[in-house]
Amino acid sequence: MRGRIARPMATTRRHMLAGLAATGVGATALPGCTPRAQDLRIGFVVKMPEAQWFQDEWRFARAAARDLGFSLIAIGAEDGDRVLAALGTLYARKAEGFVICAPDPRLGPAIAGFCARTGMKAIAVDDRLTGPDEAPVAGIPYVGISATAIGQLAGTAAADTARARGWSPDTTGVLRIAFDSLDTGRERTMGAVRALQDRGFTRLFTAPQRTSDTEGAFTAAAPVLTARAAIDRWIVLGLNDETVVGGIRAAEGLGLKPPSLIGIGIGGSEAAIAELAKPTPTGFVATVLLSARRHGYDTAAALFRWITHGVRPPAETLTSGTLMTRDNFRALLAAEAAA
């Protein structure tokens, strides 16, 4: 059924490999003829099926299926065993290819090998597939977010806002709430820092967080801000909206008011929307909206064209974001929701 979420049966890696061998997966390729669009089935496998981002990706992928006339098989695969089960499910249901965000990028060689043996085509989305050495897996196109570019957009917006308020770089603190154990998190915040430094805002202070949520950010930011009470104007940066909200709440707890705070989030999440929708402006002034439409609709459509017309996607496609403020967030969200 089009758009139905398939949940593979629980299995172990050993049992799955044995099952694939018994069914001939790994030895027999799918038929080589080009499928008719109305008969075409495409999978879309995600690592966190309950997360809103992946729900939105599925929603947009279903829109592509509706517009182009293929059937979408949406599967949640939260660990490596479930990924193997998902691939077996797609093969059994005669899917010609799949889009995947794997729970562990190091599953790359296993996924690439499966495609080579079965003739199925794959596009990696959000997280690049790698080998054990973290080198990108060749042969599987990748659509991801340019973490550095997104961070630079956030940093530029923060600098522009500070300049518009007449803030001097010499008296403005830049708080980077850091989750550097995640490469994407480090790239986002350092991209923002570099954009600010290029514009003269160099008073940087780092607050390492243990968790990437609002509570973890609050806990990390509070002591750093307390130790520098002489600074009464702050730019707050983080890898996501929740982190920046936590930093803003910590600053407010120390008596700083919204006119003294500039928080720029990343994601366009419910946390950001709640801040931007408040009747009275807060220190959270904007977020970089990431487009689930491009990662859902566009990847599914690209895979469809690859299967039906032989148009292979680029090896790498990196998306950026759009600055979302109190003034434009309703219009942007309405446009993003249209599908």
Side-chain angles (χ1 to χ4, degrees):
M1 182 181 297
R2 179 173 301 177
R4 181 177 179 182
I5 300 175
R7 292 192 176 274
M9 296 182 294
T11 183
T12 65
R13 185 182 301 270
R14 185 183 72 254
H15 290 159
M16 187 62 219
L17 291 175
L20 291 177
T23 58
V25 177
T28 305
L30 293 174
C33 59
T34 300
R36 293 178 300 170
Q38 61 266 36
D39 299 328
L40 178 62
R41 297 175 183 178
I42 288 175
F44 203 114
V45 183
V46 302
K47 63 181 180 179
M48 297 173 62
E50 306 307 322
Q52 188 60 51
W53 172 261
F54 294 112
Q55 290 284 329
D56 289 341
E57 284 188 339
W58 274 346
R59 177 166 58 88
F60 287 119
R62 291 189 184 100
R66 182 181 67 239
D67 292 346
L68 299 175
F70 62 88
S71 292
L72 187 79
I73 305 172
I75 304 179
E78 297 90 338
D79 55 41
D81 290 331
R82 288 184 173 90
V83 168
L84 294 176
L87 298 184
T89 297
L90 292 174
Y91 182 82
R93 296 182 63 176
K94 297 181 171 58
E96 297 286 343
F98 56 91
V99 179
I100 185 167
C101 178
D104 185 347
R106 292 171 297 179
L107 289 167
I111 295 169
F114 175 84
C115 292
R117 293 188 297 268
T118 63
M120 295 175 73
K121 293 178 170 59
I123 295 177
V125 69
D126 299 328
D127 297 337
R128 190 192 304 270
L129 294 175
T130 67
D133 58 356
E134 299 187 354
V137 170
I140 296 182
Y142 167 63
V143 177
I145 297 169
S146 176
T148 299
I150 286 168
Q152 289 172 338
L153 179 56
T156 299
D160 290 346
T161 303
R163 292 291 191 186
R165 293 183 181 182
W167 291 11
S168 168
D170 295 336
T171 58
T172 300
V174 177
L175 177 64
R176 182 178 82 98
I177 305 176
F179 195 67
D180 287 348
S181 59
L182 182 66
D183 289 345
T184 298
R186 183 181 65 256
E187 291 167 6
R188 287 181 180 183
T189 55
M190 289 310 299
V193 165
R194 284 192 288 271
L196 282 160
Q197 290 175 336
D198 289 345
R199 290 159 178 79
F201 293 89
T202 59
R203 296 191 69 184
L204 174 67
F205 304 93
T206 297
Q209 59 184 140
R210 297 183 63 183
T211 59
S212 60
D213 54 11
T214 298
E215 182 179 355
F218 183 100
T219 301
V224 176
L225 294 170
T226 300
R228 293 158 182 86
I231 301 176
D232 58 5
R233 290 174 175 172
W234 285 96
I235 292 171
V236 181
L237 308 171
L239 85 157
N240 57 24
D241 295 321
E242 291 77 9
T243 292
V244 175
V245 170
I248 293 296
R249 293 290 96 86
E252 291 171 344
L254 296 174
L256 293 172
K257 303 300 182 183
S260 299
L261 300 170
I262 297 173
I264 309 289
I266 293 176
S269 69
E270 293 296 328
I273 295 168
E275 291 294 307
L276 298 177
K278 288 181 178 179
T280 303
T282 73
F284 188 100
V285 301
T287 182
V288 179
L289 177 65
L290 306 180
S291 176
R293 182 182 183 89
R294 292 198 64 186
H295 290 232
Y297 190 106
D298 290 2
T299 53
L303 184 57
F304 171 83
R305 289 190 296 270
W306 188 9
I307 294 169
T308 58
H309 297 94
V311 181
R312 184 184 181 89
E316 178 182 79
T317 301
L318 296 179
T319 66
S320 184
T322 303
L323 190 68
M324 188 167 76
T325 67
R326 289 177 61 87
D327 295 331
N328 68 0
F329 79 96
R330 289 184 175 86
L332 286 178
L333 292 175
E336 183 71 10

